Amino acid sequence: AGASLTGNTYAGEVRPRYESDLGFRVSGKILKRQVSIGDVVKKGQLLAQLDPADMALNEASQRAQLNSLDAQLKVAQLDYERNKKLFDEGVIGASGLDHFLAAYDAAKAQVEAGRAQVRAMSNQTGYTELRADHDGIITAAMGEPGQVVTAGQTVVRLAHSGEVEVASSVPEDQVGRMRVGMPVQVALWASPGTSAQ
C-alpha cells in the first residue's frame, strides 16, 4: 500500500489491527493441525489437537492415587473412631486420642488435595484442543503434526476479522508536518484504482 500526504508518497503495509498468537495451555505432541495459512476460520473452530494419550494416562494415574488416598482415609477414620471409644471408656488418655485425630485430619486433607489434582487433570485433558478465539484468517502456522510443543508455544497466528490499519514509515524530516487526524489517502498497489481516506 502507499500513503499520500501533501503530494508525498510513502510505502506502507496493510495489516489487521488485532492478531492472536494461539498455543495450547498444556505441553504435548501435535496429533493434527486442521488449518493452513490463508484459511478463514470462525470463533470456536478446531485449529489443532494434541495427542490425548499422555493426558489420559496422567488422569488415570491421578484417579488411582485418589482411590489410594480414600482407602487411607477410611483406615484413619476407623482408627480414630475405635480409639475415641477407648478414650470415652477411660482406657486411653487425651494425648493418645489426639494422635489418631491428627492422622484422620491429615488423611482428609490429602483426599481433598487429591480431588483437586484430579479436577485439574480433567481440565488439562480438555486443553488438548486448540480453538479459534475470534473469527479471522490464519496468517502463520508454526506447529506440525508430530511436533512436541510446550504450553503457550505459538502454533498458529490468527488475524481477527474486522478493522485493519496501515503502517507507514515517514522520513524524519517530514514527521513534523504530520498531525493526528490529518487526512491521508491510501492506495493499494495490488489493486490499482482502489483507494481510501
Side-chain angles (χ1 to χ4, degrees), residues 2 7 18 27-28 33 43-44 67 69 71 85 89 93 98 101 118 123 136-137 142 156-157 163-164 169 180 187:
Y18 302 105
S27 300
R33 192 185 76 219
K43 181 177 181 178
N67 290 339
L69 291 172
K85 286 181 185 175
E89 295 170 0
D98 288 345
L101 179 59
V118 167
N123 287 343
I137 298 172
M142 295 83 147
V156 295
R157 181 169 296 129
E163 297 180 38
V164 295
S169 297
V180 174

Side-chain angles (χ1 to χ4, degrees), residues 9-195:
T9 301
Y10 306 106
E13 176 186 5
V14 178
R15 58 187 181 206
R17 176 157 288 184
Y18 302 105
E19 283 187 304
S20 298
D21 286 345
L22 303 177
F24 293 99
R25 295 173 70 172
V26 293
S27 300
K29 182 171 74 171
I30 297 176
L31 182 65
K32 58 185 171 183
R33 192 185 76 219
Q34 305 285 100
V35 294
S36 299
I37 296 173
D39 286 354
V40 177
V41 298
K42 296 289 184 193
K43 181 177 181 178
Q45 182 175 333
L46 182 65
L47 306 177
Q49 185 174 9
L50 293 178
D51 186 344
D54 289 340
M55 292 293 167
L57 288 173
N58 288 341
E59 187 174 352
S61 173
Q62 289 291 335
R63 287 190 187 283
Q65 185 175 3
L66 179 58
N67 290 339
S68 173
L69 291 172
D70 275 331
Q72 292 173 27
L73 174 61
K74 287 177 186 170
V75 169
Q77 181 179 4
L78 290 172
D79 284 347
Y80 170 71
E81 290 171 355
R82 191 170 34 255
N83 284 281
K84 173 81 168 80
K85 286 181 185 175
L86 293 174
F87 172 77
D88 291 342
E89 295 170 0
V91 175
I92 64 169
S95 63
L97 181 62
D98 288 345
H99 166 76
F100 291 102
L101 179 59
Y104 179 44
D105 287 342
K108 282 194 287 190
Q110 287 179 335
V111 166
E112 283 308 309
R115 286 186 182 136
Q117 287 179 331
V118 167
R119 284 192 300 272
M121 187 56 63
S122 293
N123 287 343
Q124 288 186 357
T125 301
Y127 297 154
T128 60
E129 293 183 344
L130 180 62
R131 296 187 176 273
D133 62 348
H134 290 84
D135 293 349
I137 298 172
I138 302 300
T139 58
M142 295 83 147
E144 298 296 334
Q147 179 181 347
V148 174
V149 293
T150 59
Q153 181 179 339
T154 300
V155 175
V156 295
R157 181 169 296 129
L158 175 67
H160 299 197
S161 295
E163 297 180 38
V164 295
E165 59 188 14
V166 176
S168 181
S169 297
V170 176
E172 190 174 328
D173 63 344
Q174 300 292 318
V175 171
R177 297 175 50 204
M178 301 189 82
R179 302 282 180 266
V180 174
M182 202 173 173
V184 296
Q185 185 171 4
V186 177
L188 302 176
W189 292 334
S191 302
T194 303
S195 65

